[in-house]
Amino acid sequence: MSILIKQGTIVTASDLYQGDIYIEGETIKAIGNHLNMSADRIIDAKGMLVMPGGIDPHVHLDMPFMGTFSSDNYETGTRAALFGGTTMVIDFILQKQGNSLQAALQEWKGRSDGQAVGDYSFHMAVTDFNEETKKEIRHFIEEEGIISFKTFMAYKGALMIDDRQMVGLMQEVKKHGGLINVHATNGDFIDYLVAKHKSEGKLSPLYHYLSQPEVTEAEASGRFADMINYTGCQGYIVHLTCEGALNAVRRATLRNQKVFVETCIQYLLLDASLYEKDFEGAKWVMSPPLREKKDQAALWSGIEQGLVQVVATDHCPFMWEQKMMGKDDFSKIPNGHPAVENRMELLFSEGVKKGRISLNKYVEVASTNAAKIFGMFPKKGTIAVGSDADIILIDPNEKHTLSVKTHHMNVDYSAYEGWELTGKIKTVLLRGKVAIENNECKVEKGYGQFVKRSKVDGKI
Ligand code: URP
Ligand code: ZN
Ligand code: ZN
């Protein structure tokens, strides 16, 4: 099958030009102006922005967490991602404390094999680093193509590792050319505040927010930066939310250190006033919590300054009934919110259309940088000859409204209900196949492939 996309405005992280793209099979074969190849299908892209498919490197699909499972599985989650212009996601495998990494991989394969509609990969979350786990690291990087290892400095008793394990893991991962992702908040500090609020009968979602003040994230981010500076391992802070944590990263640059930073769309656009809506605030209970307007300003500037390289979602949806598990106790509300379908359009509308970021920066933080940091560039994350034909067409002027009534995520509320956006994803190609067109998904469950990733050198 061959496709010719004609006369769109092609945007990559570095270029913007009018042109045609010729695709054969799964791959981009030629780019030029007025290409005269014949093709099985011609797509007229006049008036459209033609960009690489989005990559969301932080999602949780069908994940066992806080006594339940996140409500999107690999089928519904990757399909919803495609509707929103995200052609690839990276999900997290969670090691069970006391068990091997391999056992966790098999469990996750059991839920994902043959299920995905869009492409995906895994980060491996190490929750128990010991002499046995240490022996598995090389295999994951060299054989499984899973080169990124997630660590939690919070969720004590479930996912958290201590600094001793963290430093040991960093040294082993560095030896084999991988990188460490971190949920950087101070777990002990948070646990103290959670217990204190509960003992005082303060049980509403607002106290989820008040149990994780900015300092808990700023401190852990600085500590993480110190540990990767000492070990020389590559490090990536996931879902960074606030000015204090960003300043910890900024300080690390003063000793010529590079720390990769991801923020998520919700931290750029939503703020903690949502926790004042009584139990409805549970819709936005996530960790770290939403912050203040001054933090949003810091994050937008951080993107501009190159301190923040990736805008992800931490998509971790739960049905309202699941959120109700914490009706009388905020610490039992499953943490996470739905956004994988909304990220690209929200960032386009609120970022590009409102003049906060350029079109090139949009592509960089929504796709290219994730591909580079996580070892799959230039196969993914750009429009170039030889790259996978993962391509989106955006109508930059079409207006639409986000709603639970029209989204495809398997969750019964929208965290962005009624938001009016400018810019609509119209067509999505995944590895040379039209996946989304006329608001319909044209590819089946099983089309999505697991993407093996390569070692990285920390240069992007
Ligand atoms: O609230 C969140 N973020 N839920 C998912 C787990 C995590 O910490 O990323
Ligand atoms: Zn996290
Ligand atoms: Zn997460």
Side-chain angles (χ1 to χ4, degrees):
M1 172 83 182
S2 57
I3 298 179
L4 185 59
I5 303 175
K6 283 197 78 68
Q7 289 304 295
T9 301
I10 300 170
V11 190
T12 68
S14 53
D15 298 307
L16 192 153
Y17 55 95
Q18 196 82 11
D20 304 343
I21 302 171
Y22 176 72
I23 297 158
E24 227 174 62
E26 300 196 344
T27 313
I28 297 173
K29 291 285 180 193
I31 302 172
N33 213 351
H34 302 295
L35 293 177
N36 62 2
M37 285 107 158
S38 59
D40 300 324
R41 165 104 202 254
I42 308 254
I43 296 176
D44 178 5
K46 251 188 250 107
M48 298 283 163
L49 296 171
V50 180
M51 300 179 172
I55 299 173
D56 186 343
H58 191 155
V59 305
H60 301 278
L61 302 175
D62 216 350
M63 178 177 78
F65 189 52
M66 296 184 74
T68 187
F69 280 78
S70 55
S71 60
D72 260 320
N73 59 26
Y74 291 87
E75 179 182 355
T76 62
T78 57
R79 185 189 297 124
L82 284 175
F83 272 106
T86 290
T87 48
M88 173 169 181
V89 300
I90 314 185
D91 186 52
F92 293 82
I93 301 172
L94 303 180
Q95 176 194 19
K96 273 203 191 83
Q97 291 177 344
N99 288 1
S100 68
L101 302 182
Q102 190 53 235
L105 173 62
Q106 293 315 318
E107 186 188 333
W108 256 255
K109 278 187 171 173
R111 282 197 289 273
S112 60
D113 272 2
Q115 299 299 307
V117 184
D119 284 359
Y120 66 103
S121 184
F122 292 129
H123 306 287
M124 180 73 230
V126 178
T127 64
D128 188 1
F129 185 69
N130 53 45
E131 284 309 310
E132 294 308 307
T133 320
K134 186 174 172 180
K135 292 183 199 140
E136 297 188 81
I137 300 295
R138 191 204 65 77
H139 171 82
F140 271 77
I141 296 175
E142 302 278 353
E143 314 293 336
E144 304 287 357
I146 296 176
I147 58 128
S148 41
F149 296 85
K150 170 79 177 289
T151 57
F152 291 90
M153 296 168 86
Y155 301 121
K156 201 169 178 179
L159 303 172
M160 178 169 153
I161 59 171
D162 60 21
D163 292 350
R164 175 192 177 134
Q165 295 180 72
M166 181 74 90
V167 172
L169 176 63
M170 285 175 174
Q171 289 186 329
E172 193 60 22
V173 168
K174 177 187 160 53
K175 208 159 52 179
H176 301 290
L179 106 159
I180 301 281
N181 301 356
V182 68
H183 172 127
T185 60
N186 184 319
D188 282 315
F189 196 154
I190 292 167
D191 278 5
Y192 166 73
L193 291 174
V194 169
K196 180 172 184 298
H197 287 135
K198 285 171 64 163
S199 73
E200 292 166 354
K202 295 169 174 167
L203 299 168
S204 71
L206 177 65
Y207 290 93
H208 170 78
Y209 165 62
L210 294 174
S211 298
Q212 300 199 32
E214 180 174 11
V215 62
T216 58
E217 191 179 336
E219 184 281 328
S221 300
R223 184 157 37 103
F224 177 76
D226 288 343
M227 290 187 279
I228 59 167
N229 190 44
Y230 173 75
T231 57
C233 189
Q234 294 173 60
Y236 175 99
I237 301 178
V238 305
H239 56 37
L240 186 142
T241 69
C242 57
E243 188 180 20
L246 194 61
N247 283 340
V249 172
R250 201 186 309 273
R251 281 193 295 278
T253 67
L254 299 179
R255 61 188 174 204
N256 304 315
Q257 193 187 348
K258 179 88 189 166
V259 185
F260 292 121
V261 172
E262 163 200 290
T263 190
C264 297
I265 192 69
Q266 61 270 27
Y267 301 119
L268 290 165
L269 302 180
L270 305 177
D271 68 71
S273 60
L274 290 166
Y275 298 125
E276 284 156 18
K277 290 172 168 258
D278 294 323
F279 193 70
E280 200 196 341
K283 288 179 180 172
W284 300 279
V285 163
M286 62 186 80
S287 292
L290 300 174
R291 302 286 185 196
E292 307 293 326
K293 296 255 185 259
K294 60 107 182 152
D295 297 299
Q296 295 177 358
L299 293 174
W300 284 112
S301 302
I303 290 175
E304 265 312 290
Q305 294 163 343
L307 278 175
V308 175
Q309 293 84 20
V310 173
V311 178
T313 57
D314 194 5
H315 176 75
C316 190
F318 295 99
M319 293 288 186
W320 187 242
E321 198 187 351
Q322 295 173 289
K323 288 280 183 182
M324 289 284 278
M325 290 161 66
K327 195 172 165 327
D328 302 315
D329 176 355
F330 69 85
S331 70
K332 296 197 167 59
I333 301 169
N335 284 203
H337 101 312
V340 76
E341 185 171 354
N342 305 137
R343 176 186 71 125
M344 298 288 284
E345 289 176 340
L346 280 167
L347 186 62
F348 186 82
S349 188
E350 300 301 304
V352 177
K353 293 302 268 192
K354 294 202 170 158
R356 289 169 165 139
I357 55 172
S358 69
L359 277 169
N360 300 115
K361 186 59 102 176
Y362 174 76
V363 173
E364 195 186 314
V365 297
S367 178
T368 312
N369 280 348
K372 289 181 174 175
I373 293 169
F374 293 113
M376 49 200 172
F377 184 85
K379 175 181 166 63
K380 301 286 188 192
T382 194
I383 293 181
V385 172
S387 295
D388 281 2
D390 300 345
I391 296 173
I392 60 176
L393 273 63
I394 304 185
D395 179 337
N397 299 314
E398 185 169 324
K399 294 193 189 304
H400 62 111
T401 305
L402 299 184
S403 174
V404 63
K405 295 191 194 105
T406 47
H407 76 202
H408 302 84
M409 297 176 284
N410 185 41
V411 57
D412 53 3
Y413 71 90
S414 168
Y416 304 90
E417 187 65 43
W419 278 56
E420 289 176 9
L421 304 185
T422 306
K424 177 110 185 74
I425 311 282
K426 303 296 285 183
T427 306
V428 177
L429 277 77
L430 172 58
R431 281 180 285 104
K433 260 200 177 172
V434 174
I436 302 292
E437 194 172 44
N438 300 325
N439 215 18
E440 272 177 38
C441 184
K442 309 276 188 192
V443 285
E444 301 293 319
K445 163 169 120 171
Y447 183 67
Q449 281 184 0
F450 176 77
V451 178
K452 272 192 162 191
R453 297 179 284 121
S454 312
K455 293 184 189 196
V456 280
D457 62 6
K459 308 279 181 292
I460 66 166

